[in-house]
Amino acid sequence: MPLIRWPRAGDVWSGSAAYAGGMTKSTVWTILAVALAIVIAWILVNVLFSVLWFVVRLVVVAAVAVAVYFLLRRAFSGSES
């Protein structure tokens, strides 16, 4: 006996497989909900990456500013002593 039995004439299908008509109202709402979820997710990911990029730039600017501060401090303190 095979693991998969192919459908035969007279088999009764259940659920959406048996329905060959047009789209129902709930199907349209499901498609719209999925499309809206994708759009919202796209916007949220875009905002998240923008914020993360801003934080990375802020950290790099802070590191460079600290390095420049210590270089300037060393350059000007050597002439006084």
Side-chain angles (χ1 to χ4, degrees):
M1 184 165 160
L3 295 175
I4 299 174
R5 186 179 76 78
W6 294 100
R8 297 182 187 136
D11 282 349
V12 177
W13 291 67
S14 62
S16 63
Y19 183 70
M23 291 195 307
T24 63
K25 191 174 184 179
S26 65
T27 304
V28 173
W29 282 115
T30 301
I31 293 170
L32 289 176
V34 167
L36 183 63
I38 291 171
V39 169
I40 290 172
W42 189 279
I43 292 170
L44 288 176
V45 168
N46 194 16
V47 168
L48 177 69
F49 280 143
S50 295
V51 169
L52 286 175
W53 178 240
F54 177 75
V55 169
V56 168
R57 285 178 58 186
L58 196 62
V59 168
V60 170
V61 167
V64 170
V66 168
V68 169
Y69 170 76
F70 283 116
L71 285 173
L72 289 174
R73 185 174 165 191
R74 180 190 291 177
F76 290 122
S77 68
S79 60
E80 280 185 27
S81 349

